[in-house]
């Protein structure tokens, strides 16, 4: 530790011998505090005191450069691991659910399943409450809880094992001979009364109350200190599973009973329903029960009961075909519209926002709502000062649905939508036939640039912690970060081209170090995330994944897009053969990758050391058709065409619409037409339906 008299001696007055001793002491002390902070989340000293140590170290090094140690703290910035939870890949993706709002949509779900499976009767379904919490996957090996992970993006979540261990409802050891490996999935939530008690305690301690039980549950689970989680009234319902070493039961209903026998609480009341009428009656019943349940729900879930049918139905992008959420109607409230502001998005779209007198809607305080676009304001004749009806459904942004004309103040005037961008002053234009007015400022518009950067670092894209909206805006204004690659040069430009971040108001060496570490951790990124991060119009996360899965590497993707510029080219055919990509998306993709500026962004990122990893497909069981291109033709007997296609895709094959030299198998049903002939001409292997079934059931 430091010698007291030395620590107070100005750097200039130290002898070389004393300076060397001081530097050794500082290196040890700073390393000690780093460990406490990063690995134990238990700092002993304030940020200011810590910064003072680092500054002292730097001053002495500046005075005696020849004495700088190899383990000097000034050399180790960014080396410590980012604080937070460890990321864990889910062995099986954690899916979300498709939504139905109207009764007809629930009925359509049942019909869809019936058609897909070619059933004579509607399928029996389990109906259960849809709990409003956050989903979690609990892995048990030999009956013991070994891992608990949040859903995250569905493919990768956060390791919250220590926190989940503190939840009384979660068995640490399963009862009743469970499978050797079982991942139980379900919802972490908070009871309503316990939530109110918690909020009362929060307020008594002068801390901020939570908006609703769901936020309270999420905030409590994601505490870095499990002791805090332990003090929160969290609960858990089990309703699904991931990896299993042995099947639980033949049906969802019986599987639920098994979960109960293992020691889990179930979300009740659940019911088995054989008809559309029965599921709708269940929906009505739960809606009536809703206020008397001890926990928040936002709808009900229907799940096909037979698990072999669930298996056959599989899933589309991120939701199973065998289940759907039937949501309760949105909650509404009335309040006054104070002002209409305009937000400029990443693509320059001008979105009108209602600034409201705060009002509680379904337990949440709302002060802003979307007004959608120019036409909607005009259609509903929404004016500043109006009394308006707003509605909120689940996590969806609240919206203004109507005005109350009787309460309109005198002298109000119709709203005039601006024709210039409120941020950069460029013209905002609205092409013929479109509803959205857009700023034409492109990258000179700070709003667009900042929004693009925000998207770039967002959770499903580069997922860089510590770069919030405010900081990005500040960095942009300073010129420190103007494009994505500047983020990966922050450490290099810090203190060279721009003032040192460590000296910024409210920052310290540690926060800078943390930021750099989280940027470093993202220098290598998967192709799907990268494509999503680029913010290509219309290309969301699911489509980005489809593209990654098809092209596998960034270079192949970019070559493909360049080739697809020629209408009728093979590359264009290839792009359009990807299920889920239509002409309009294809146009946006091609235009994006052709645009000089976008190519430069990608080149700059690579130059700044970003490495885009080739797509690593999720492990499907070794399958004889993985990576093969399959075409179906004619009528199949035992399964519907959609089911055959879904099964092929689930086993890693690509399903194409027409036969070409790239086709590996043509599966020929009854009444096959010209495709069979073409396949013979090209020498493509043709399979009968039975041969196909034998091939895929071998897995
Ligand atoms: S089943 C593959 N059942 O709702 C299907 N989910 O909106 C996995 N949820 O991510 C989910 N109650 O967090 C299922 N009874 C229930 C549920 C439920 C709530 C949540 C779950 C899911 C989300 C989708």
């Amino acid at each position: 530790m430091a010698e007291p008299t030395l620590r107070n001696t100005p750097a200039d007055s130290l002898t070389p011998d004393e300076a060397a001793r001081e530097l050794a002491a500082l290196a040890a002390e700073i390393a000690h505090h780093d460990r406490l902070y990063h690995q134990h989340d238990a700092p002993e000293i304030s940020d200011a005191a810590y910064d003072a140590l680092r500054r002292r170290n730097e001053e002495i090094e500046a005075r005696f450069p020849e004495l700088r140690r190899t383990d000097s703290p000034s050399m180790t910035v960014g080396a410590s691991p980012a604080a937070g939870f460890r990321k864990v890949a889910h062995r099986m993706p954690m899916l979300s659910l498709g939504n139905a709002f109207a009764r007809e949509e629930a009925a359509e779900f049942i019909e869809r399943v019936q058609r897909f499976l070619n059933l004579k009767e509607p399928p029996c379904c389990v109906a259960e409450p849809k709990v409003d919490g956050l989903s979690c996957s609990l892995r048990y090996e030999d009956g013991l809880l070994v891992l608990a992970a949040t859903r995250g993006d569905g493919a990768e979540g956060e390791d919250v094992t220590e926190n989940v261990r503190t939840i009384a409802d979660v068995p640490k050891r399963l009862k009743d001979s469970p499978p050797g490996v079982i991942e139980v999935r379900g919802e972490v939530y908070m009871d309503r009364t316990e939530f109110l008690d918690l909020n009362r305690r929060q307020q008594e301690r002068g801390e901020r109350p939570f908006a609703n039980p769901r936020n309270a549950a999420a905030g409590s689970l994601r505490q870095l200190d499990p002791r805090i989680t332990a003090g929160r009234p969290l609960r858990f319902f089990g309703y699904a599973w991931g990896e299993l070493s042995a099947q639980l039961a033949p049906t969802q209903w019986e599987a639920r009973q098994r979960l109960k026998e293992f020691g889990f609480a179930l979300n009740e009341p659940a019911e088995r329903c054989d008809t559309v009428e029965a599921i709708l009656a269940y929906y009505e019943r739960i809606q009536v029960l809703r206020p008397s349940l001890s926990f928040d729900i936002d709808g009900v879930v229907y799940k096909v009961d037979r698990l072999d049918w669930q298996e056959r139905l599989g899933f589309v992008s991120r939701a199973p075909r065998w289940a759907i959420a039937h949501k309760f109607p949105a909650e509404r409230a009335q309040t006054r519209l104070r002002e209409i502001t305009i937000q400029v998005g990443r693509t320059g779209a001008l979105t009108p926002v209602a600034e409201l007198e705060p009002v509680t809607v379904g337990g949440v305080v709302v002060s802003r709502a979307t007004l959608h676009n120019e036409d909607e304001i005009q259609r509903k004749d929404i004016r500043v000062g109006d009394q308006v009806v707003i509605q909120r459904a689940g996590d969806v942004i609240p919206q203004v649905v109507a005005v109350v004309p009787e309460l309109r103040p005198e002298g109000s005037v119709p709203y005039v939508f601006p024709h210039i961008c409120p941020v950069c002053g460029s013209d905002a234009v609205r092409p013929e036939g479109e509803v959205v007015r857009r700023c034409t400022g492109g990258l000179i518009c700070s709003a667009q640039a900042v929004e693009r950067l925000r998207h770039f670092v967002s959770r499903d894209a580069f997922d860089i912690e510590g770069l919030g909206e405010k900081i990005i805006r500040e960095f942009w204004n300073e010129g420190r970060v103007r494009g994505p690659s500047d983020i990966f040069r922050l450490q290099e430009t810090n203190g060279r081209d721009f003032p040192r971040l460590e000296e910024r108001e409210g920052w310290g060496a540690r926060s800078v170090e943390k930021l750099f570490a989280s940027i470093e951790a993202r220098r290598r990124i998967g192709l799907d995330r990268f494509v999503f991060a680029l913010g290509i119009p219309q290309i969301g996360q699911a489509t980005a994944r489809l593209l990654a899965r098809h092209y596998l590497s960034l270079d192949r993707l970019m070559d493909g897009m360049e080739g697809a510029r020629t209408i009728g080219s093979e590359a264009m055919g290839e792009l359009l053969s990807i299920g889920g990509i239509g002409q309009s998306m294809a146009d946006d993709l091609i235009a994006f990758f052709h645009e000089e500026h976008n190519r430069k962004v990608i080149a700059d990122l690579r130059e700044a050391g970003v490495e885009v990893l080739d797509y690593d497909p999720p492990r499907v069981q070794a399958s004889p058709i993985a990576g093969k291109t399959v075409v179906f033709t004619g009528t199949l007997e035992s399964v519907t065409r959609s089911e055959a296609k879904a099964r092929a895709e689930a086993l890693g094959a690509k399903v194409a619409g027409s036969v070409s030299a790239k086709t590996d198998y043509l599966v020929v049903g009854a009444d096959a037409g010209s495709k069979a002939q073409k396949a013979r001409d090209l020498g493509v292997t043709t399979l009968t339906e039975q041969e196909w079934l034998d091939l895929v059931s071998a897995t």
Side-chain angles (χ1 to χ4, degrees), residues 560-580:
M561 295 308 116
E562 196 50 35
R565 292 189 62 226
T566 316
I567 297 168
S569 62
E570 202 172 317
M572 173 58 108
E574 180 176 351
L575 177 56
L576 291 172
S577 78
I578 306 174

Side-chain angles (χ1 to χ4, degrees), residues 95 97 128-131 135 151 187 239 267 301 303 320 322:
L95 304 177
L97 291 170
E128 48 185 66
K130 183 169 187 307
V131 190
S135 49
R151 192 167 91 96
E187 206 82 354
Y239 52 62
N267 48 336
V301 184
K303 300 175 179 174
W322 48 264

Side-chain angles (χ1 to χ4, degrees), residues 26-45:
L26 284 163
E29 268 178 73
I30 292 172
H32 166 74
H33 293 302
D34 279 345
R35 253 191 321 276
L36 287 177
Y37 185 81
H38 289 294
Q39 290 163 25
H40 305 287
D41 265 291
E44 272 173 4
I45 58 171

Side-chain angles (χ1 to χ4, degrees), residues 272-312:
R272 250 172 165 167
C273 302
D274 277 319
T275 60
V276 171
E277 291 68 39
I279 62 166
L280 294 178
Y282 173 83
Y283 177 80
E284 302 295 339
R285 183 160 80 86
I286 298 298
Q287 207 171 348
V288 174
L289 280 180
R290 185 181 188 187
S292 60
L293 292 177
S294 64
F295 49 93
D296 270 2
I297 62 173
D298 58 350
V300 299
V301 184
Y302 309 130
K303 300 175 179 174
V304 170
D305 194 26
R306 273 179 60 166
L307 299 182
D308 56 336
W309 286 355
Q310 288 191 3
E311 173 102 18
R312 280 172 60 190

Side-chain angles (χ1 to χ4, degrees), residues 307-422:
L307 299 182
D308 56 336
W309 286 355
Q310 288 191 3
E311 173 102 18
R312 280 172 60 190
L313 285 154
F315 50 89
V316 221
S317 121
R318 306 175 71 185
R321 280 200 197 80
W322 48 264
I324 198 163
H326 191 176
K327 304 291 270 292
F328 291 137
E331 306 192 62
R332 295 188 165 193
Q334 243 186 54
T335 186
R336 200 179 71 88
L337 175 61
R338 281 179 176 164
E339 205 189 332
I340 296 177
T341 53
I342 302 285
Q343 258 176 11
V344 183
R346 144 168 86 86
T347 57
L350 267 48
T351 307
V353 177
E355 307 288 345
L356 307 163
E357 235 143 60
V359 61
T360 313
V361 197
V364 174
V365 178
V366 171
S367 55
R368 306 183 88 197
T370 177
L371 289 162
H372 299 292
N373 56 50
E374 193 168 354
D375 289 356
E376 284 294 295
I377 299 184
Q378 206 177 28
R379 195 171 62 76
K380 297 171 188 158
D381 187 18
I382 297 169
R383 303 182 184 191
V384 172
D386 272 348
Q387 196 69 22
V388 291
V389 178
I390 58 167
Q391 87 171 19
R392 191 187 70 90
D395 279 344
V396 186
I397 305 170
Q399 41 183 315
V400 173
V401 286
V403 301
V404 187
E406 312 83 78
L407 298 177
R408 170 161 286 170
E410 263 183 52
S412 77
V413 287
Y415 178 72
V416 183
F417 203 92
H419 286 209
I420 58 164
C421 171

